[in-house]
Amino acid sequence: MNSPLLDKSLDFATKIVLFYEEFSKSKKDTTIAKQLLRSATSVGANINEAIYGNSKADFISKLHISLKEVSESIYWLTLLKNTNLVIYNFEELLSLAEEIKRMLISSIKTAKDNNK
């Protein structure tokens, strides 16, 4: 199945995994980075579940979970950026996360409108 949303979320998760690997080498506390890793990789997993869900309600529910997870990821990325614990291109990651967030909001709205 060709899904731009799923492709973007996989790209996001991949970039976060690579960020986490680099950050963990810094020997700094990884608590925040682990939270980011969990939320960011969950986005695509839930989108994938939504695509293969068993009902429209299940589809919408999984997309809502993805929306919550990408919003949480934005929080953790912003916190990491603000703390300056590591020098990294957070703007690229934040931009991608915001794009996914917009796509999710649009997909949820469309799914709800088509469900009426």
Side-chain angles (χ1 to χ4, degrees):
M1 165 172 257
N2 185 16
S3 168
L5 183 55
L6 191 55
D7 292 344
K8 291 266 185 205
S9 65
L10 181 59
D11 184 38
F12 181 59
T14 301
K15 288 177 178 180
I16 294 297
V17 168
L18 294 173
F19 161 77
Y20 180 79
E21 289 301 314
E22 186 175 320
F23 183 84
S24 62
K25 291 176 188 172
S26 72
K27 305 294 185 210
K28 295 188 172 140
D29 183 9
T30 59
T31 304
I32 298 168
K34 283 180 185 175
Q35 289 291 111
L36 171 61
L37 182 65
R38 285 185 192 103
S39 62
T41 55
S42 179
V43 174
N46 280 290
I47 293 168
N48 194 60
E49 284 187 44
I51 291 169
Y52 297 102
N54 55 11
S55 69
K56 183 66 83 169
D58 187 34
F59 177 79
I60 293 168
S61 174
K62 294 296 183 193
L63 289 185
H64 268 289
I65 293 168
S66 290
L67 180 58
K68 289 178 183 180
E69 295 294 339
V70 77
S71 295
E72 181 180 338
S73 297
I74 290 167
Y75 174 81
W76 296 125
L77 282 167
T78 303
L79 184 59
L80 282 165
K81 178 184 169 192
N82 290 350
T83 60
N84 293 314
L85 290 174
V86 65
I87 303 303
Y88 201 82
N89 185 4
F90 289 108
E91 293 306 322
E92 177 188 355
L93 295 174
L94 284 163
S95 177
L96 183 54
E98 288 290 349
E99 184 179 359
I100 293 166
K101 183 178 170 183
R102 286 190 301 275
M103 292 172 79
L104 282 165
I105 289 168
S106 178
S107 295
I108 291 166
K109 182 182 181 322
T110 300
K112 285 181 175 179
D113 289 348
N114 290 342
N115 205 29
K116 293 179 180 175

